[in-house]
Amino acid sequence: LPHGFEGQGPEHSSARMERFLQLCAHNNMVVANVTTSANLFHLLRRQMVWDFRKPLILFTPKSGLRNPHFVSDIREFGTGTRFQEIIDDPTADPAKVKHLLLCNGKLYYELKDKQLEDKRDDVAIVRLEQLYPLPQKQLEVIAKKSKKAKMRWVQEEPANMGAWPHLLFHFWKTYNMEVVARPANSNPATGYKKKHDEQQAALLEAAFS
């Protein structure tokens, strides 16, 4: 399903991720939003080699088709690699990390560009590639590495949409997690490109504040 805020209006931005996640219980489906072509390959391969069948809901941004960041090295498709439900920040030093940003989808690359531009070595950016079932054990390992860091969920969608309501339901007792998102809205996205760019810039700024 096409999903990603790119300034093209509501119907181009949101595949109503929150509605699919509301249907998730008892491991009845898989919901994912991957950020590399290799991880997409391994996700589809896992889906086929399982000895059982369940629906896979895959959210993808249209811009991913032409974004060079989504391209993977040929070696990442080979033997010994598998689907990564969560991808840690390989460049982060746990001793320096003060802000642990969780996100998914294309927003990761915008956050990464902002991090490099501002030279923020006190920030780790972690990608949640599978939204359901949640990779809770993997997240616990990452969180323990940076115990003193403030954890934030960053999403492009308004706060009442996207993955945040789903994560809040599962993690409100476990993590003191904040959210950085567009304000709650009845409409998924603006149809005005200039306004979209202003909102996106403010979102990125808030994530690193």
Side-chain angles (χ1 to χ4, degrees), residues 13-207:
S13 302
S14 178
R16 291 296 187 177
M17 180 185 289
E18 64 279 359
R19 295 181 181 175
F20 286 94
L21 291 171
Q22 282 180 333
L23 298 172
C24 293
H26 306 297
N27 294 323
N28 63 333
M29 67 178 79
V30 177
V31 178
N33 188 0
V34 298
T35 55
T36 71
S37 53
N39 217 28
L40 173 59
F41 169 76
H42 292 299
L43 172 62
L44 296 175
R45 184 171 68 171
R46 185 188 71 172
Q47 185 77 4
M48 295 307 300
V49 300
W50 271 341
D51 58 2
F52 54 87
R53 289 289 172 258
K54 65 175 63 183
L56 167 63
I57 311 300
L58 180 62
F59 295 97
T60 56
K62 291 181 178 179
S63 62
L65 294 170
R66 57 184 179 275
N67 188 332
H69 291 305
F70 279 75
V71 176
S72 300
D73 188 283
I74 189 66
R75 290 169 292 185
E76 295 178 55
F77 293 85
T79 304
T81 54
R82 60 180 181 81
F83 173 61
Q84 299 179 76
E85 297 172 345
I86 190 168
I87 303 178
D88 198 0
D89 189 338
T91 64
D93 181 353
K96 295 181 180 179
V97 173
K98 296 179 181 178
H99 302 281
L100 181 59
L101 305 184
L102 298 174
C103 65
N104 76 341
K106 76 173 187 66
L107 182 61
Y108 165 75
Y109 295 110
E110 295 175 58
L111 290 170
K112 198 66 181 176
D113 287 343
K114 175 73 172 171
Q115 181 190 33
L116 294 173
E117 181 183 332
D118 294 352
K119 299 179 180 178
R120 293 290 298 272
D121 62 358
D122 62 333
V123 175
I125 307 174
V126 176
R127 286 170 273 180
L128 194 58
E129 302 278 284
Q130 180 173 290
L131 292 162
Y132 189 83
L134 283 166
Q136 299 200 35
K137 291 183 178 179
Q138 296 98 308
L139 182 57
E140 286 173 13
V141 172
I142 292 171
K144 283 179 181 178
K145 284 199 308 181
S146 306
K147 290 186 287 187
K148 296 181 180 179
K150 182 180 291 185
M151 188 179 293
R152 290 174 172 167
W153 172 255
V154 188
Q155 67 176 35
E156 300 178 299
E157 302 89 347
N160 59 322
M161 302 178 194
W164 173 239
H166 170 71
L167 296 176
L168 186 61
F169 174 76
H170 284 276
F171 289 148
W172 70 277
K173 285 185 178 180
T174 311
Y175 302 106
N176 184 23
M177 191 184 297
E178 299 177 354
V179 62
V180 178
R182 284 173 166 79
N185 204 331
S186 59
N187 193 21
T190 178
Y192 184 34
K193 184 64 165 62
K194 183 179 179 181
K195 184 67 175 176
H196 163 81
D197 291 341
E198 290 173 355
Q199 291 176 347
Q200 201 75 353
L203 183 75
L204 296 173
E205 197 64 41

